[in-house]
Amino acid sequence: MKLLSRCRVGLVAIGLLASAFAVGSVLGKTNTSKPNAERLAIKQVDQAARQVDELIAAEVFQPETKLAPRIDDATYLRRVWLDIVGDIPTPEHVTAFVLDPVKDKRERVVNELLDKPQYGQNWARYWRDVILSRRLEDRAQLVSNALVADLTEMLNANDSWDKIASEFITATGDIRENGATAILAAQDARTDETAAEMSRIFLGIQIQCCQCHNHPYDHWKREQFHELAAFFPRMALRPVQSPTRRTFELISDDRPEIPGRANPNAQNRRGKPEHYMPDLKDPAAKGKKMQPKFFLTSATLPFGTPDSERRGTVAEWMTANPWFATALVNRMWGELLGEGFYQPIDDIGPDRKASAPKAVAALSRNFAGSGYDVKWLIRTICATEAYQRESRPRREADGTPFVANVAQPLRSDQLFNAILTAIDVDEPKESANRRGRPPEAGKPYGQNATVRQGFEVAFGYDPSDPRETVVSSIPQALALMNGVRINLAVRAIGKETMLGRQMDEIKDNGALVEELYLRTLSREPTEAEVNSALAYCKETKNRTAVFEDLLWALLNSSEFSHRR
Amino acid sequence: MNLILEHHVHARTNCDCVVDRRDFLRVAAAAGAAAGMMSWTDAICLSAEDLRKRGMACILLWMGGGPSQFETFSPKPGHENGGETKAISTAVSGIQIADSLPKCAAAMNDIAIIRSMTSKEGSHPRATFLLHHGYLPMGGVKFPTLGSHVAQQLSTPGFDLPSFVRIGGRRGDAGGAGFLGVDYDPFILQNPEAKPENTQPATRDERYARRMKMLEQVEANFGKVEGTDLVADHQKLIKKSSKMILSSKMEAFDLGRESDKMRDAYGRTRFGAGCLLARRLVEAGVTFVEVNQDGWDTHDNNFERVKTNNGTIDQPMAQLITDLRQRGMLEKTLVIWMGEFGRTPRINARGGRDHYPRAFNVALAGGGIRGGQVIGETDAGGQDVTKRPVAVSDLFRTIYTTLGINADHENMSRIGRPIKIVDGGQLIHELLG
């Protein structure tokens, strides 16, 4: 044992030195570098987690600040299940976990969940929502299935975030085959829009406000936006000529420009060799030719650079920049804690103020030092005290951040998974539609929609929107209250439904109440909750109706549709 | 009034940390916008503008695909571009429209046609977005659509029914409430002849009431400490949804309550039912109803297809205007007939017309606008606008102003950016009564 731990220490030391070099070379590319000795990356998850907690406490808390207590085991289990694999634990999981005497069970369950294929699928769907919520045209949804499939694979293989980002920035090919074309497909391969989204998603810097004018508050200038756009003009999204498949292809287009007037209504079927910044005083004129220049480092590429080199180089420069690490750190922190260090979650950068600057800087440094290891980041965040605090209502504007976690509304996929698990039903197989063809990729409407897609349409939201603006709507409430499927699902029908089976097995009403709470809310009911349910049983002879109504109430409750 | 104040407080306390000037502006503006543009002292001194705004409603008849102006309201029978389409006289001397719209021709006294609409957008998604929002799509901003803006500005808070209803059509480019929030999202139903989805309570009376009580009890624990605001909002939403589906006003959705004669007058088509439902909803107090009719994208077999479409819309549209007039509702209800663009003057090899935003037409009625007129002109072949071009922003500014809404009013986008209801544009004075 001691030998192993000494080896481990040795490895950690080597790791620290190696990451110091890595961090140093990363910092060397920016204009604001500090001596390397002060900025060694921490690789050990628990050490890094402790560091974040200490920095937050130092920067943000006062001696009298009231911190929410640590959550109990059952709450922790449901929380990490939803956060990592997007589903709820079954009663068996809950009981086993709560009764487990092992000290490091919380760390262990996080690792187990990260090893499940559902981890990659859950977060691939998250990124699908992030990317496709901003699509310019509905046809971009054709990329949806490939995006989820490819990104699931990359995340489960734990590809580093810089590798994943580079794939998305430099992708080409059929959008139904190559999911990495997703951002380009969503933005229709348009130059300005692509540049804006790449910056928002991977750097967290919303530079698109200066598309038309200098940013009113930030120091970015219009030229800088268009210099960034100049990395992306040589692309086109073309329909693929095929009698059987409807799809589009993202191509690099390095051909010279055709002289003469371009058709203004052309569907962007050609790239342009160079990008021109429109002349505000003369919109019909061609504008000023822009040299590709990365606004964070002022590094440039010459005119005439081919597409693969433009996008390849800007991918390198973006992923090497410290804001790249911070963008993901802030987003993951925001998703898991209910509030980012910077708010909105995708609006960071040198002109923004973080609520705990040293904490986010340290965590970003460590994330970069880990080699942009996404699972490492999730492990670390889940290991912090901050993450493990009980939820409290979202704080007021002048409240202290991170004194508690904040309950999050489930994404449509998570809600769908949770309902299926609660009622113990497998996901309906995607059957062929009436014309005998399988459901089209990502198509949300009409006969071709799967039940999951129906949920997406009803309950989907843009995860980059400030979470407090994501509010339930009347149609959503009605769907859960009166929807045919939900009401069928809560029925006790012989042995066909979960409730039917449970009512048959469990004759004691109190125990049945407990079972239903465990299945839906992944916790035991309080005594008061049991009593109030039993009171209804006394009122009426119809035991079945009472328990159907209880199950209905549980599935409709806020506690069910949120991650506590 | 209570709900307005509640909304005001809600907007303030849901704000992020007010750190710098920009946040402060965002908080203040959001609170202001949420309070309904007026302080309570303003609300007490009701201005004339306010009185006029009261009770205004809007029905949008959306012709999806881009209806050919040559075969609807702007025929060119004397020119080869007009193709085989004949023109007929209308109730207004000097105005002629396509012969397959005879009932609209009879109602022309109430209808104003803008023949000089012009835009640069010829792709369905962008043009549909533009002609619904008055803005082109921009990644960083979730623009509200016309119906959501109107609902936010005009609807009565606490009203039983949704203030914006969309019948048919597809989501996506037609848009929703964007940064205005879900309260102003359209309530969508595909089939006007059936009850809206999920509005049939799954259980009745006693059992329904028991479910509501159980739900309240089940949520209580979460609502005590961890999710106080979430549970409070959810209970409000459940009560609002319940109020809606249990309200007698839901009868408005029931076309079975109309006489056979009335149903025949609107025509027994889906669009006819949609128009009738729109009238019923506006009558019940709904602020904005959008009725969709697709099938106008006639790249081939243009003449036959548009004639068929006209056969579908002519009777209901004319009947809607007549019905509104007979019920004394026409002055307060603006009816808009439009699609995302027009179609090419040149007839293509498949007997069709392709997309043409450069010169197209829009028709309006009611809402106090001056009917029985044509605004703007195109050349003999319908290629270009020769007189009085009308941009989309002009149209939108005029629509909002007609409804009593300040087109320059600014709302706050999600990242604290002020967005005017309409950006620029000139009022079309010829329309205003």
Side-chain angles (χ1 to χ4, degrees), chain A residues 137 217 265 347 392-393 397 462 465 468 472 479 482-483 487 529 536 545 548-549 552 556 558 564, chain B residues 16-17 21-22 120 125-126 142 171 198 202 207 210-211 215 217 219 221 225-226 234 237 245 414:
Chain A
E137 319 234 336
Y217 315 114
N265 289 328
D347 195 11
R392 291 289 181 271
D462 181 346
D465 279 346
E468 61 269 25
S472 279
N482 299 322
N487 278 283
E529 286 172 331
Y536 287 105
E548 284 180 353
D549 291 352
W552 179 93
N556 268 273
S558 303
R564 274 169 73 200
Chain B
D16 296 328
C17 180
R21 171 190 57 171
R22 169 167 124 158
K120 288 194 167 62
R126 279 172 74 85
K142 295 198 160 65
R171 207 178 252 182
N198 298 326
R207 198 163 172 197
R210 178 170 72 199
R211 284 192 170 187
L215 180 55
Q217 281 162 356
E219 295 208 292
N221 196 38
V225 182
E226 295 167 87
H234 188 235
L237 180 69
I245 62 177
R414 294 256 169 86

Side-chain angles (χ1 to χ4, degrees), chain A residues 71 75 79 133-139 187 190 193 197 206 208-209 211-213 215-218 264-265 267 343-344 346-347 351-353 390-399 407-409 443 445 457-458 462 465-466 468-469 471-484 487 490 517 521 523 526 529 532-533 536 539-540 542 544-550 552-554 556-559 561-562 564, chain B residues 10 12-23 25-27 120-126 129 137-142 160-162 169-173 179 181-183 185-188 190 197-203 206-235 237-242 244-245 355-357 414-418:
Chain A
I71 41 176
T75 311
R79 182 181 285 185
S133 297
R134 302 293 172 104
R135 67 186 180 277
L136 295 181
E137 319 234 336
D138 267 350
R139 65 179 176 222
Q187 301 307 312
R190 287 172 182 264
E193 284 82 342
E197 273 292 273
Q206 303 232 15
Q208 76 277 7
C209 296
Q211 192 174 353
C212 310
H213 53 76
H215 206 291
Y217 315 114
D218 301 347
N265 289 328
Q267 313 250 330
Q343 290 278 88
D346 57 357
D347 195 11
D351 294 317
R352 298 284 174 275
K353 194 165 174 292
E390 281 184 12
S391 292
R392 291 289 181 271
R394 194 168 290 280
R395 66 180 175 96
E396 310 274 320
D398 53 359
Q408 301 269 54
K443 202 164 194 289
Y445 254 74
V457 173
D462 181 346
D465 279 346
E468 61 269 25
T469 64
V471 235
S472 279
S473 65
I474 290 187
Q476 287 172 354
L478 289 178
L480 285 178
M481 285 161 71
N482 299 322
V484 170
N487 278 283
V490 306
Y517 266 79
L521 306 184
R523 66 168 173 91
T526 64
E529 286 172 331
S532 94
Y536 287 105
E539 269 176 24
T540 167
N542 194 343
T544 306
V546 168
F547 280 99
E548 284 180 353
D549 291 352
L550 177 60
W552 179 93
L554 288 165
N556 268 273
S557 69
S558 303
E559 191 176 337
S561 63
H562 283 75
R564 274 169 73 200
Chain B
H10 192 84
R12 255 194 339 117
T13 57
N14 269 337
C15 251
D16 296 328
C17 180
V18 179
V19 175
D20 55 20
R21 171 190 57 171
R22 169 167 124 158
D23 283 349
L25 284 174
R26 175 179 16 166
V27 172
K120 288 194 167 62
E121 295 302 324
S123 91
H124 284 298
R126 279 172 74 85
F129 191 96
M138 202 165 85
V141 184
K142 295 198 160 65
D160 283 4
L161 300 180
R170 282 160 348 125
R171 207 178 252 182
D173 306 302
F179 58 71
V182 289
D183 275 347
D185 259 339
F187 182 82
I188 304 175
Q190 290 301 324
E197 265 194 351
N198 298 326
T199 53
Q200 181 66 36
T203 50
E206 258 180 41
R207 198 163 172 197
Y208 186 88
R210 178 170 72 199
R211 284 192 170 187
M212 290 297 132
K213 276 217 79 196
M214 278 181 129
L215 180 55
E216 212 178 310
Q217 281 162 356
V218 163
E219 295 208 292
N221 196 38
F222 185 49
K224 237 188 301 184
V225 182
E226 295 167 87
T228 321
D229 51 348
L230 295 168
V231 171
D233 284 347
H234 188 235
Q235 282 294 314
L237 180 69
I238 296 284
K239 295 200 167 74
K240 196 169 166 189
S241 307
S242 271
M244 175 180 128
I245 62 177
H355 306 172
Y356 203 73
R414 294 256 169 86
I415 50 171
R417 197 175 147 172

Side-chain angles (χ1 to χ4, degrees), chain A residues 235-532:
Chain A
M235 305 180 296
L237 193 67
R238 281 186 166 164
V240 170
Q241 305 303 334
S242 159
T244 48
R245 279 170 98 245
R246 183 181 179 227
T247 187
F248 292 81
E249 202 188 349
L250 194 300
I251 58 159
S252 289
D253 194 354
D254 290 306
R255 291 172 297 178
E257 197 154 355
I258 298 178
R261 200 164 52 106
N263 182 353
N265 289 328
Q267 313 250 330
N268 197 36
R269 307 250 175 104
R270 282 190 74 93
K272 289 188 290 295
E274 303 295 342
H275 175 64
Y276 287 77
M277 178 170 72
D279 183 346
L280 292 173
K281 299 202 186 74
D282 184 7
K286 193 158 195 188
K288 179 175 168 205
K289 190 157 87 162
M290 304 305 288
Q291 185 173 15
K293 187 172 179 187
F294 186 44
F295 64 104
L296 288 173
T297 60
S298 299
T300 59
L301 282 180
F303 290 115
T305 308
D307 180 52
S308 58
E309 205 185 312
R310 280 186 205 227
R311 290 197 278 144
T313 310
V314 80
E316 261 176 55
W317 291 345
M318 283 175 84
T319 56
N321 193 278
W323 291 110
F324 175 71
T326 310
L328 190 71
V329 165
N330 191 57
R331 189 180 271 278
M332 288 309 248
W333 186 267
E335 288 301 333
L336 269 52
L337 272 284
E339 180 184 336
F341 292 103
Y342 296 87
Q343 290 278 88
I345 210 172
D346 57 357
D347 195 11
I348 70 175
D351 294 317
R352 298 284 174 275
K353 194 165 174 292
S355 54
K358 290 209 183 79
V360 64
L363 189 53
S364 306
R365 214 157 45 232
N366 296 336
F367 172 57
S370 75
Y372 306 99
D373 182 341
V374 181
K375 287 191 184 182
W376 178 94
L377 181 59
I378 295 175
R379 273 187 257 270
T380 304
I381 296 177
C382 290
T384 61
E385 284 305 315
Y387 175 76
Q388 295 181 69
R389 294 197 176 110
E390 281 184 12
S391 292
R392 291 289 181 271
R394 194 168 290 280
R395 66 180 175 96
E396 310 274 320
D398 53 359
T400 312
F402 314 130
V403 300
N405 206 318
V406 183
Q408 301 269 54
L410 296 184
R411 296 193 325 273
S412 69
D413 283 300
Q414 297 170 313
L415 183 61
F416 189 61
N417 289 339
I419 292 177
L420 289 179
T421 303
I423 60 173
D424 196 16
V425 162
D426 288 328
E427 182 155 354
K429 287 264 181 294
E430 321 303 8
S431 51
N433 70 1
R434 273 187 251 146
R435 285 192 226 120
R437 272 187 261 136
E440 232 184 272
K443 202 164 194 289
Y445 254 74
Q447 307 97 315
N448 293 344
T450 63
V451 185
R452 179 178 287 275
Q453 283 166 349
F455 254 75
E456 265 163 48
V457 173
F459 294 95
Y461 62 81
D462 181 346
S464 307
D465 279 346
R467 204 49 53 85
E468 61 269 25
T469 64
V470 176
V471 235
S472 279
S473 65
I474 290 187
Q476 287 172 354
L478 289 178
L480 285 178
M481 285 161 71
N482 299 322
V484 170
R485 281 183 215 271
I486 293 271
N487 278 283
L488 270 176
V490 306
R491 297 272 310 276
I493 305 175
K495 293 238 170 84
E496 276 170 43
T497 61
M498 181 277 289
L499 185 59
R501 290 192 287 273
Q502 295 304 320
M503 289 197 70
D504 188 57
E505 256 182 57
I506 305 175
K507 295 305 179 189
D508 175 53
N509 287 344
L512 187 52
V513 172
E514 208 177 282
E515 176 72 17
L516 292 183
Y517 266 79
L518 275 170
R519 278 193 176 270
T520 53
L521 306 184
S522 312
R523 66 168 173 91
E524 288 186 350
T526 64
E527 204 180 312
E529 286 172 331
V530 175
N531 290 339
S532 94

